[in-house]
Amino acid sequence: MEVVQGDTQGKEPSARRGQPVWDGSWPLHPFLFAAASVMAMMARNLDHTTFAGIFPALGGALLFALAVYLAVALIRRRFDRLSAIIASIWVAGCLFYLSLFGRLNQLLDGGYPMVRSLPVALLILILATVLAFRLRRAAIAMHSVLTGIAAVLLVTPAWQAATYEWSHGAATAAYDADKAMEEIAPYLPAGDGAADRPPDIYHFVFDRYASEEILRRHYGVDNSDIVRFLQDHGFYVAHASNSNYLKTGHSLASTFYMDYLDPLEEDERVKGSNWRPIYKMLSDHRVGRFLKSRGYEMVQFGSWWAGTYRSAIADENRPHGFSEFEMLYLRRTILRPLFHALPDTPLTMRLDWDNAQCQRVAAQVEEIKAIGERDRPVYVFAHFLLPHGPFNFAADGRCLSQQESAKRGEDQGYVDQIAYANRIMKEIVATLQSPDRTPPIIIIQADEGPFPKRDYSVPWQDAPAEELRIKTGILNAFYFPNGDYSALRQDLTPINSYRAVFNTYFGTDFPFLPDRIFAFPNDATLYEFNDVTEKVRGPATVAGEAAGPEHP
């Protein structure tokens, strides 16, 4: 009987009887594209990201590639080269969305959400899928080409990461948490140092919260109300305090290390713009280890920033949202326009322009207020990126759109977020000092001041004194339930914070360090520390002596 050719025209080869489900090919390129999308992001952030830090994103990307490949193969009932090619079209299109369609989004004036580009991008991917079907007789060649392209896209950033690890990976060994604890052992009491249950400790850092003086002189803000509130609630406010360093990482690392970062500067393995040694110090530090050895539970409310997102020694980490790497990676994928096209939910808003601050800050505040008293003493550290940008909050805590924030301007945005930070302070203090609970130790301080308007080609150590005062003038306040503030001074810096707490409450004998201020030239030279104390506020106070009058 004569075979009618038209009966098979237009049908896939998989529809023909007798053909195997698998053609013997290996679908490598969908998975290579998925891995390459993650490695490309890592290559852009080598100073901040390790191989261990990318595993969640890498695992998610590979699972996505597997799901797409299986979906295509099951629809076609064929595990062949064409299924792999179609899978790669969608895997690459979704995971390299910003790279592939970013220019298109600009032409469509899609802005940050990129929603306008989504229909056109999906149409392009559909047309590419149809074209792959049309060219299925060239599947062997396309399969090989895609494998080669995907391999190059993966190997290139992987090689960059490997070479960076080879030359900079040893820098993290400059900090050894065990050795750090051994070094302070002579100042620790025998036993637990306390007969009774020690008080809970709450430490709140409001990022870039300027001193009362700086707010008055440079922002026209009278912030005396919050200072009076704190003093009326028994706080000691160090009016002449400065941060010890210019940036959050250095400031918090030295605060928890209870010492200056000289070991990093002196170690030849630590150089350039490598943030990893500082992140290691923030993840496992003296303060946390000491308190845990005294029976404390440690709860950390971190931000999206890699330095405080997660602590290795915390019993609970409550960052609320994606990590910095995950957030940056997912913003380059199709999830960015998809999340903005879907109704607002706590999940879909995690990729918003505000770094999910609207989903994080208020929720963390409520969780902190609900902690209450536990069977064991609790140590709570919270890092609020307030009044740090993006300036997405109104003074009352209401979340603003990107357009509303831009219209308001950065200066007013900073002022409004100071006001919102003040509201948070009042809420938390009122809760922690409520009559029905044992009052805890409370530390409220900033890690740095705001960035002044300046010529950033000038190294920080050569900046005018007033620029350094803006950058280092901070809020710094302490509440000790026993009212013994004899260890504190008006110009106390954060590096001595826990020395004061531990000497007052745990019987330690830490000597107080001179309160110094250090600047590094720029972000490319993070460990070249220059003492700018005298430029900022005159001769530094000798430890144990009373501070002079507040700097005008």
Side-chain angles (χ1 to χ4, degrees):
M1 184 174 72
E2 183 179 357
V3 177
V4 180
Q5 297 296 322
D7 288 348
T8 59
Q9 287 182 354
K11 295 183 180 180
E12 278 206 65
S14 60
R16 298 172 182 170
R17 294 181 179 181
Q19 286 193 349
V21 173
W22 178 47
D23 65 358
S25 63
W26 294 98
L28 295 179
H29 46 84
F31 301 95
L32 295 178
F33 278 121
S37 69
V38 179
M39 290 304 303
M41 177 54 65
M42 181 182 182
R44 298 185 185 97
N45 295 273
L46 292 173
D47 288 326
H48 302 269
T49 306
T50 63
F51 281 101
I54 71 169
F55 282 160
L58 181 60
L62 292 174
L63 285 174
F64 174 72
L66 177 62
V68 172
Y69 174 69
L70 290 177
V72 174
L74 291 174
I75 291 172
R76 296 187 62 246
R77 299 181 182 180
R78 292 278 292 155
F79 291 85
D80 59 0
R81 295 180 182 86
L82 184 57
S83 291
I85 292 167
I86 295 169
S88 280
I89 290 172
W90 289 91
V91 169
C94 291
L95 300 185
F96 287 93
Y97 189 90
L98 182 62
S99 299
L100 293 173
F101 305 114
R103 180 58 180 165
L104 170 66
N105 186 69
Q106 291 178 356
L107 293 174
L108 296 174
D109 195 22
Y112 175 81
M114 299 188 73
V115 175
R116 291 184 182 178
S117 66
L118 185 58
V120 182
L122 291 175
L123 178 60
I124 292 173
L125 294 178
I126 291 171
L127 291 176
T129 303
V130 172
L131 182 62
F133 271 112
R134 295 276 186 176
L135 300 176
R136 58 185 175 274
R137 292 185 178 180
I140 294 177
M142 288 192 293
H143 183 72
S144 299
V145 170
L146 286 175
T147 300
I149 293 173
V152 171
L153 289 177
L154 175 60
V155 169
T156 301
W159 175 255
Q160 292 173 333
T163 55
Y164 183 93
E165 198 68 31
W166 176 264
S167 59
H168 295 84
T172 56
Y175 173 71
D176 184 323
D178 293 329
K179 181 181 178 182
M181 291 304 294
E182 292 173 3
E183 292 169 347
I184 64 172
Y187 308 115
L188 306 183
D192 62 11
D196 301 323
R197 183 185 190 276
D200 293 343
I201 302 174
Y202 285 77
H203 183 180
F204 304 106
V205 169
F206 288 86
D207 207 302
R208 297 186 187 171
Y209 193 115
S211 67
E212 182 182 9
E213 177 189 357
I214 293 300
L215 288 172
R216 175 179 55 80
R217 289 216 317 262
H218 292 276
Y219 290 89
V221 173
D222 179 1
N223 205 37
S224 58
D225 176 68
I226 191 64
V227 175
R228 284 194 301 271
F229 170 85
L230 293 173
Q231 291 174 330
D232 290 346
H233 284 73
F235 280 76
Y236 180 95
V237 180
H239 291 278
S241 184
N242 294 86
S243 62
N244 297 105
Y245 295 90
L246 302 184
K247 281 211 162 183
T248 301
H250 301 72
S251 292
L252 292 184
S254 59
T255 298
F256 292 135
Y257 186 56
M258 300 190 294
D259 207 337
Y260 294 101
L261 304 180
D262 296 352
L264 299 185
E265 182 181 29
E266 295 164 359
D267 194 311
E268 62 181 12
R269 294 170 295 182
V270 181
K271 56 190 175 182
S273 55
N274 183 4
W275 281 92
R276 295 184 188 181
I278 286 178
Y279 292 161
K280 186 178 179 183
M281 294 184 77
L282 289 171
S283 181
D284 186 355
H285 47 75
R286 283 172 170 170
V287 168
R289 284 199 173 201
F290 173 80
L291 290 173
K292 286 174 69 69
S293 73
R294 265 53 183 178
Y296 278 79
E297 289 184 65
M298 180 176 171
V299 184
Q300 179 152 314
F301 290 85
S303 63
W304 52 261
W305 176 60
T308 59
Y309 183 79
R310 183 183 181 278
S311 168
I313 57 174
D315 297 287
E316 299 177 35
N317 283 284
R318 303 293 298 155
H320 282 263
F322 296 123
S323 69
E324 183 174 7
F325 181 84
E326 292 164 353
M327 181 176 64
L328 293 174
Y329 170 69
L330 291 175
R331 281 178 172 175
R332 300 185 68 85
T333 72
I334 199 170
L335 281 184
R336 177 162 157 183
L338 280 178
F339 275 14
H340 283 87
L342 294 171
D344 287 345
T345 67
L347 175 62
T348 60
M349 294 177 73
R350 285 188 177 188
L351 294 183
D352 277 4
W353 71 279
D354 67 341
N355 300 336
Q357 284 289 82
C358 284
Q359 304 305 303
R360 177 179 296 108
V361 175
Q364 288 180 324
V365 170
E366 292 306 312
E367 283 195 19
I368 291 169
K369 289 161 59 178
I371 287 175
E373 295 186 76
R374 299 183 175 183
D375 294 336
R376 293 166 53 194
V378 62
Y379 169 51
V380 175
F381 171 69
H383 177 209
F384 295 120
L385 286 174
L386 282 173
H388 187 294
F391 302 110
N392 57 291
F393 290 111
D396 60 1
R398 180 174 57 89
C399 293
L400 303 180
S401 68
Q402 191 173 16
Q403 292 74 22
E404 289 174 319
S405 177
K407 183 178 180 180
R408 179 180 59 178
E410 290 193 358
D411 285 351
Q412 188 59 45
Y414 179 82
V415 170
D416 286 352
Q417 295 202 159
I418 285 282
Y420 180 41
N422 291 348
R423 289 170 62 96
I424 292 174
M425 290 181 208
K426 291 179 179 181
E427 285 184 27
I428 289 178
V429 168
T431 299
L432 297 181
Q433 293 186 344
S434 62
D436 61 343
R437 64 185 296 168
T438 304
I441 296 168
I442 306 173
I443 304 172
I444 299 176
Q445 61 189 190
D447 52 341
E448 56 173 314
F451 278 91
K453 295 177 175 62
R454 66 184 301 269
D455 179 0
Y456 283 92
S457 67
V458 177
W460 271 108
Q461 68 269 21
D462 298 329
E466 191 63 11
E467 289 184 3
L468 290 167
R469 291 184 187 123
I470 294 171
K471 196 70 193 75
T472 64
I474 59 170
L475 172 70
N476 198 5
F478 301 81
Y479 175 74
F480 291 174
N482 66 5
D484 180 7
Y485 295 117
S486 58
L488 305 182
R489 302 184 304 277
Q490 281 296 293
D491 63 350
L492 188 83
T493 57
I495 206 166
N496 282 311
S497 296
Y498 282 102
R499 289 174 179 258
V501 171
F502 293 165
N503 285 358
T504 302
Y505 279 93
F506 296 93
T508 59
D509 190 30
F510 286 105
F512 282 85
L513 303 177
D515 291 294
R516 311 297 296 181
I517 306 167
F518 291 92
F520 48 89
N522 50 57
D523 286 359
T525 50
L526 296 174
Y527 303 99
E528 296 180 16
F529 301 138
N530 299 271
D531 194 328
V532 294
T533 310
E534 294 190 12
K535 179 184 282 192
V536 174
R537 62 182 186 183
T541 302
V542 177
E545 293 185 3
E550 187 176 346
H551 198 291

